[in-house]
Amino acid sequence: MTEITLNVNGESKTLKDVDPEMPLLWALRDELNLVGTKYGCGIAQCGACTVHFEGSPVRSCSLPVSAAAGKNITTVEGLAKDEQLNALQQAWVDMDVPQCGYCQAGQLMSATALLEKNSNPSDDDIDTAMAGNICRCGTYVRIRAAIKQAAKAKRGGAA
Amino acid sequence: MSKQSTNTININRRKFLGGGSALVLGFTVGCKQEASQSAAVTPIENVSAEVASGASMPLQSSTFNAWLSISNNGTATILASNPEIGQGVKTALPMIVAEELDFPWEKVIVKQAPVDPVVYERQVAGGSYSVRSLWDPLRQAGATARAMLVKAAADGWGINVDDCAASNGMVSNSITGDSLDYGTLAGKAAKLPVPEIESLTLKATADYGLLGQRISGVDNQAIVTGQPLFGIDTTLDNLHYATYSSCPNIGGTIVNTNLEHIKKLKGVVQAFIVKGKGGYSELRDGVAIVANSTWATISAKKQLEIEWDTTDASTDDWSAMRDQAEQLATAGGGEVLHNDGDADAALAAAKTKVSATYSYPFVSHAPLEPQNCTVRIADGKVDIWAPTQVPARAMKSAAEMFDLDPASITVHQIRAGGGFGRRLYNDYFLEAVAIALEAKVPVKLTWTREDDMAHDYYRPGGTHGLQAGIDNQGKLTAWKNHYVTYSEDGKEAVRWGAYMESTFPRQLVENYQINQTLQLQTIPTGAWRAPISCAFGFVINGFINEVSTAAGIDHRDFMLELLAQDDEIPSIFGDAFVPARARETIIEVCKRAGWGKQQADNRGLGLAFYFSHNAYVAEVADVEVLAGNKIKLHKVYAVTDVGPIVNMSMAENICQGGIIDGISTMARLELDAKAGAVIESNFDQYQMLRMPEAPEIDAHFLQTDNVPSGLGEPTLPPIAGAVVNAIYAASGKRVRELPLSRAGFTLA
Ligand code: FES
Ligand code: FES
């Protein structure tokens, strides 16, 4: 058992007496009470647990919390700034993307990482960036459309 | 899913007894407390909070009926009574009340209703039946309250109700031009006698303002900001985490286990054996590990060693059974279930005969949120948070199994991360109660994905030996289906494995015979999204396409001819099947898809139709078959008639979702079992559809005046048939067994 400090959504968080092997997913959910990040498979297959690790999307179910020590982690709870939804979150609400909603935190984290790198993604770019996220309810058609709308909004174009 | 009466829904008067006014102390909105508990802070609640903070008088909320109360701050709180599993009822059901109430949606606060079967009757997410069963009660709930508000205003003004008009949350006086908002009138109105239902005039479809609009789901804000919403997100003081391990060979019992070792592991607080009760599909023998984090339970579980007695466990071998079923289906025999006319004579007399065997595998529900349940037992009260499709049934089972006073149990309805029929069964719920009773601390049981794959109530596989006869006019004159399904006792088909009696095309073919043969199989099965229909839709549409091809008739024309009669046909879904409605969906979908136009090489359109859950759904798949049997799904067109649409946004979303689920399942999902244990254990071996494979989908709805029915299931059954028919049109290759991967097809 060790003490580990992470930077989560811009705040420094210290976990006392934590198993260094505990996946970041469970540290976020059970230790830090940030339950927006979801468990779906535990083996890096579904993407429900996607968070940003130093700005890149990773599967937190398969990353030991010790590997995140001292690193910047962003979770779905950290996407909105000053209660202002980011362009993707807003598009998700406006276009009513979720069905059950369980996968959507992971989808938003992958989509946010995509738009940070590529402000005008093609269909193929979107498909490639989102291929690691399963939506069991099948909201893929809407996710694609919402990413495009958000990209447009971010670039400052009218929808 | 089950047989339902078509008659007017029996209205329980209790629902309509006005509760009068309740003074809520302070200036905050009454929902705030509950909102923070489930943290379901929706944008709608934010709106009302602002309204409340500007209010200068104590907030007073007046209850009109079991669904509706109106506050003097001008907001209305509408309770959604049925479980939300991703089908959108938490938004759709309150919309129905708001429509008849004539109330602005922005001022509606939606809350989940308590579980109370006496008041709310069927609090179930199943059978695509929520909108259907609540259509009348909810419209009446809105309309009675509206009438009471109008009466209160008329009394106050000393005029006749006919001189008042209500709209958008206001009652206006047509003599003076004055108006009053519902919030001002609510206190007085709620004390008035509730009008007789017969006295109400409900709106005509053409007059709907809110229904049919695109309304974003009430939990969306909370979803996109990661607020706690789902069962698995439940947190409580002193919460402990639990895992449960039962025998992979279904029905095995515990002989021995290394509990002493487990108890010493870090984070583990308790570990104990739970004896199974009530049959292996309810509470199975297992080992519970209670620890201080989910991870501690998962890592301890990896070290758990259990010696199982599998003497009475299942011995199912699904791939061997499927091979055997293939032989049985083509051999004669089987119990005759239906026999209209004389199928054998008609076959003998037919000009052209077609025969083929179709089959499909066992599959899992695999909702993305694994099974979980949180239980707190304190001060003689049992509180349970569970993502269940049947909260009332779960509560009753727990009370019976553990001898608890039903009045002491509260089941909190909580958003479920998908259902698909899995959460109609309460094994995980009963396990969590058993663990909490023994552990004497609040526990959250979370299944691992591996637990979830190993202990499902699987969609049963099935095999159909089909024969058809066509006369010299190309008319289908004979239909025979030898259906091979499964049975635990050799007498009755397994749960959701029995032939569904009204299955299309019964009563459309003069000589029609269905035989059924049972194979022994003991792993539990269950309702999987559009049970029976989800598989039969593939078999029947695929085979009819073989028949139309043999007859040399365009498939659309053949389908329209088959459905040409005007007589209605009784169905097990409640309403009679109306062939004319089916024809309309087929005609429209073909129009949208450009049916009949010349297709590029290796490209083809496939058409399928299916009727389930009182819904008429026709779909066309536009498919290209590339080299190496790679399939590119260009687009899917769906035309659905479910009567008026409540929320157009979710209607389109769930229609697309049903189609994606159908494609996902047909592409490569298949489970095998050996010695009664399911082999595929996680998503690496059970590969659902991903975004690059998802086609564009045109989801269109015919706006008809029929009684509305639900959309959670019925768009799924036609899709597999549409896709295999398109593969045939594009390549001449006939797919008769699913998944597609069996025949070497992959999605591009
Ligand atoms: S839970 Fe991490 S990828 Fe599925
Ligand atoms: S919305 Fe349910 S899993 Fe994606």
Side-chain angles (χ1 to χ4, degrees):
Chain A
M1 297 289 178
T2 352
E3 188 171 295
I4 292 174
T5 300
L6 328 167
N7 192 331
V8 183
N9 300 329
E11 278 177 50
S12 174
K13 301 272 184 188
T14 301
L15 303 172
K16 293 203 167 58
D17 206 21
V18 67
D19 177 356
E21 290 305 308
M22 179 187 285
L24 177 60
L25 166 67
W26 297 113
L28 292 168
R29 290 184 57 83
D30 293 351
E31 309 294 326
L32 298 175
N33 206 16
L34 290 168
V35 295
T37 306
K38 296 295 194 265
Y39 166 72
C41 68
I43 58 163
Q45 285 286 316
C46 74
C49 65
T50 307
V51 299
H52 293 180
F53 178 90
E54 296 290 326
S56 298
V58 295
R59 310 291 174 235
S60 66
C61 68
S62 302
L63 185 81
V65 64
S66 53
K71 305 289 185 194
N72 289 308
I73 304 297
T74 307
T75 68
V76 67
E77 290 93 341
L79 290 182
K81 299 277 177 270
D82 304 326
E83 315 230 326
Q84 184 73 41
L85 299 183
N86 80 12
L88 284 151
Q89 291 172 305
Q90 192 61 52
W92 249 240
V93 173
D94 291 347
M95 300 184 81
D96 194 24
V97 169
Q99 284 182 36
C100 82
Y102 194 77
C103 71
Q104 300 297 346
Q107 307 279 4
L108 280 162
M109 296 314 291
S110 292
T112 299
L114 167 68
L115 288 199
E116 274 163 18
K117 283 198 314 239
N118 180 348
S119 61
N120 192 9
S122 67
D123 277 9
D124 279 354
D125 296 337
I126 293 174
D127 282 356
T128 308
M130 303 304 292
N133 292 77
I134 290 173
C135 176
R136 171 66 182 90
C137 299
T139 61
Y140 297 128
V141 179
R142 287 230 167 145
I143 291 174
R144 259 193 219 128
I147 291 175
K148 286 188 191 167
Q149 173 163 310
K152 201 176 246 179
K154 252 188 112 178
R155 293 195 309 271
Chain B
M1 278 171 199
S2 56
K3 198 160 186 149
Q4 297 291 353
S5 150
T6 45
N7 299 336
T8 335
I9 284 116
N10 194 11
I11 301 300
N12 179 338
R13 285 294 298 175
R14 253 185 75 176
K15 291 192 258 255
F16 286 96
L17 295 184
S21 297
L23 196 65
V24 182
L25 292 176
F27 296 85
T28 45
V29 181
C31 71
K32 273 307 185 188
Q33 203 189 337
E34 185 183 292
S36 63
Q37 210 176 65
S38 71
V41 186
T42 67
I44 289 153
E45 286 166 358
N46 292 338
V47 168
S48 63
E50 275 165 37
V51 175
S53 61
S56 57
M57 61 169 103
L59 188 72
Q60 194 173 0
S61 169
S62 305
T63 302
F64 284 81
N65 49 57
W67 287 281
L68 174 69
S69 55
I70 298 176
S71 296
N72 58 349
N73 68 2
T75 61
T77 299
I78 306 181
L79 304 189
S81 53
N82 285 20
E84 174 61 63
I85 60 171
Q87 82 285 44
V89 291
K90 193 171 171 184
T91 306
L93 299 177
M95 282 174 72
I96 300 171
V97 178
E99 176 70 64
E100 288 292 344
L101 182 62
D102 263 315
F103 194 79
W105 182 248
E106 313 74 64
K107 292 189 179 174
V108 173
I109 297 165
V110 173
K111 291 202 262 172
Q112 197 80 57
V115 177
D116 187 343
V118 176
V119 175
Y120 297 106
E121 295 175 19
R122 191 183 180 279
Q123 286 181 288
V124 171
S128 296
Y129 211 67
S130 295
V131 163
R132 175 59 167 224
S133 62
L134 289 164
W135 178 243
D136 283 342
L138 293 181
R139 288 190 302 156
Q140 288 157 2
T144 46
R146 181 183 186 274
M148 290 153 82
L149 290 156
V150 169
K151 177 86 168 82
D155 290 354
W157 285 319
I159 60 172
N160 201 301
V161 289
D162 295 337
D163 292 320
C164 296
S167 86
N168 209 28
M170 307 281 286
V171 182
S172 56
N173 180 330
S174 40
I175 301 166
T176 63
D178 291 344
S179 62
L180 286 168
D181 70 73
Y182 285 7
T184 310
L185 294 162
K188 207 171 133 200
K191 295 193 195 91
L192 293 172
V194 180
E196 288 301 320
I197 282 152
E198 298 71 41
S199 72
L200 303 170
T201 320
L202 299 176
K203 290 186 185 178
T205 315
D207 297 331
Y208 290 147
L210 178 62
L211 298 192
Q213 301 298 314
R214 288 187 172 77
I215 299 296
S216 189
V218 295
D219 283 338
N220 280 346
Q221 186 90 7
I223 288 169
V224 302
T225 53
Q227 300 307 301
L229 265 184
F230 298 91
I232 204 169
D233 302 338
T234 308
T235 47
L236 296 171
D237 282 348
N238 192 33
L239 182 64
H240 286 61
Y241 301 84
T243 185
Y244 195 76
S245 304
S246 53
C247 190
N249 310 80
I250 304 298
T253 52
I254 294 182
V255 179
N256 204 357
T257 170
N258 60 340
L259 283 185
E260 292 316 311
H261 171 68
I262 297 299
K263 285 183 194 165
K264 288 188 210 119
L265 299 173
K266 54 190 172 191
V268 173
V269 177
Q270 302 183 42
F272 48 87
I273 290 172
V274 175
K275 288 308 287 174
K277 278 188 201 181
Y280 63 66
S281 64
E282 291 174 49
L283 183 62
R284 294 173 288 269
D285 257 30
V287 173
I289 302 172
V290 178
N292 60 14
S293 74
T294 312
W295 175 244
T297 67
I298 294 173
S299 38
K301 189 182 173 89
K302 288 182 188 149
Q303 297 199 34
L304 181 64
E305 288 167 10
I306 307 174
E307 186 190 329
W308 299 103
D309 177 353
T310 55
T311 317
D312 295 324
S314 173
T315 56
D316 292 351
D317 178 333
W318 284 346
S319 48
M321 291 159 86
R322 187 169 178 175
D323 292 345
Q324 199 196 348
E326 193 95 11
Q327 292 167 19
L328 289 168
T330 41
E335 183 197 352
V336 179
L337 297 183
H338 304 295
N339 199 2
D340 305 336
D342 188 338
D344 285 324
L347 269 176
K351 174 168 173 263
T352 311
K353 291 188 250 309
V354 186
S355 64
T357 305
Y358 278 72
S359 65
Y360 45 85
F362 283 76
V363 292
S364 176
H365 294 89
L368 201 57
E369 180 191 20
Q371 309 318 321
N372 65 86
C373 180
T374 303
V375 182
R376 179 180 62 202
I377 303 173
D379 309 325
K381 282 173 55 200
V382 184
D383 282 273
I384 306 174
W385 292 261
T388 167
Q389 295 179 237
V390 281
R393 195 198 297 163
M395 181 156 71
K396 191 161 167 271
S397 312
E400 284 168 8
M401 180 170 285
F402 303 106
D403 210 11
L404 299 168
D405 174 6
S408 71
I409 307 176
T410 304
V411 177
H412 301 263
Q413 292 209 64
I414 196 148
R415 194 174 180 92
F420 314 105
R422 174 60 182 84
R423 303 189 217 268
L424 294 167
Y425 310 103
N426 297 307
D427 47 348
Y428 59 97
F429 187 103
L430 297 169
E431 287 169 6
V433 176
I435 296 168
L437 282 166
E438 172 79 25
K440 309 221 163 17
V441 287
V443 291
K444 172 160 67 180
L445 168 69
T446 303
W447 280 22
T448 62
R449 176 56 55 191
E450 289 80 5
D451 293 333
D452 202 86
M453 296 287 295
H455 296 290
D456 197 352
Y457 297 78
Y458 305 91
R459 192 281 301 274
T463 304
H464 300 239
L466 293 142
Q467 291 174 269
I470 312 162
D471 70 12
N472 46 18
Q473 259 90 59
K475 186 175 152 64
L476 178 60
T477 51
W479 180 279
K480 270 187 89 169
N481 187 353
H482 183 191
Y483 173 53
V484 181
T485 182
Y486 300 97
S487 170
E488 281 180 35
D489 59 4
K491 296 189 192 90
E492 269 187 66
V494 292
R495 192 153 45 184
W496 294 105
Y499 205 92
M500 198 178 261
E501 64 182 277
S502 59
T503 299
F504 180 72
R506 192 174 185 205
Q507 295 192 22
L508 294 165
V509 187
E510 211 177 309
N511 304 293
Y512 176 95
Q513 186 180 330
I514 306 296
N515 293 19
Q516 180 171 282
T517 292
L518 302 173
Q519 265 186 304
L520 286 180
Q521 189 301 126
T522 50
I523 294 176
T525 60
W528 188 99
R529 195 177 201 167
I532 297 288
S533 307
C534 63
F536 282 32
F538 153 65
V539 172
I540 289 163
N541 279 291
F543 188 61
I544 293 181
N545 189 242
E546 297 203 43
V547 175
S548 69
T549 306
I553 297 173
D554 172 81
H555 192 57
R556 170 188 174 277
D557 297 345
F558 190 86
M559 291 288 280
L560 293 175
E561 180 59 32
L562 182 61
L563 289 157
Q565 76 180 45
D566 285 324
D567 296 348
E568 299 184 357
I569 299 171
S571 98
I572 68 138
F573 295 106
D575 290 0
F577 172 72
V578 182
R581 290 179 70 184
R583 294 196 300 269
E584 291 304 318
T585 61
I586 291 170
I587 290 167
E588 180 63 22
V589 81
C590 287
K591 204 158 88 190
R592 297 176 82 86
W595 186 267
K597 285 206 193 103
Q598 180 71 35
Q599 296 292 322
D601 282 354
N602 306 317
R603 193 149 172 184
L605 300 182
L607 165 67
F609 167 82
Y610 213 72
F611 171 77
S612 67
H613 308 278
N614 297 313
Y616 297 75
V617 188
E619 293 170 6
V620 168
D622 173 357
V623 167
E624 188 174 356
V625 179
L626 306 164
N629 282 346
K630 278 203 169 307
I631 294 167
K632 175 72 196 157
L633 297 168
H634 286 284
K635 190 162 179 176
V636 172
Y637 301 83
V639 172
T640 301
D641 174 6
V642 281
I645 297 298
V646 174
N647 182 357
M648 185 55 83
S649 176
M650 184 48 103
E652 290 168 345
N653 203 349
I654 200 117
C655 172
Q656 294 172 340
I659 288 166
I660 297 276
D661 192 1
I663 295 170
S664 179
T665 307
M666 79 179 296
R668 51 184 175 244
L669 298 187
E670 173 172 22
L671 296 172
D672 195 6
K674 290 274 180 275
V678 172
I679 290 166
E680 291 75 12
S681 65
N682 206 321
F683 295 157
D684 52 343
Q685 296 153 356
Y686 193 73
Q687 297 201 13
M688 291 185 274
L689 197 84
R690 292 173 184 273
M691 194 182 290
E693 302 162 324
E696 201 185 322
I697 300 170
D698 170 37
H700 180 75
F701 298 90
L702 298 181
Q703 291 282 12
T704 64
D705 240 342
N706 299 294
V707 183
S709 52
L711 277 165
E713 298 166 274
T715 64
L716 185 143
I719 188 60
V723 171
V724 296
N725 293 349
I727 291 174
Y728 180 78
S731 69
K733 291 174 187 157
R734 197 56 88 177
V735 179
R736 300 191 181 93
E737 50 178 13
L738 293 184
L740 293 172
S741 50
R742 267 176 94 89
F745 288 98
T746 51
L747 297 186

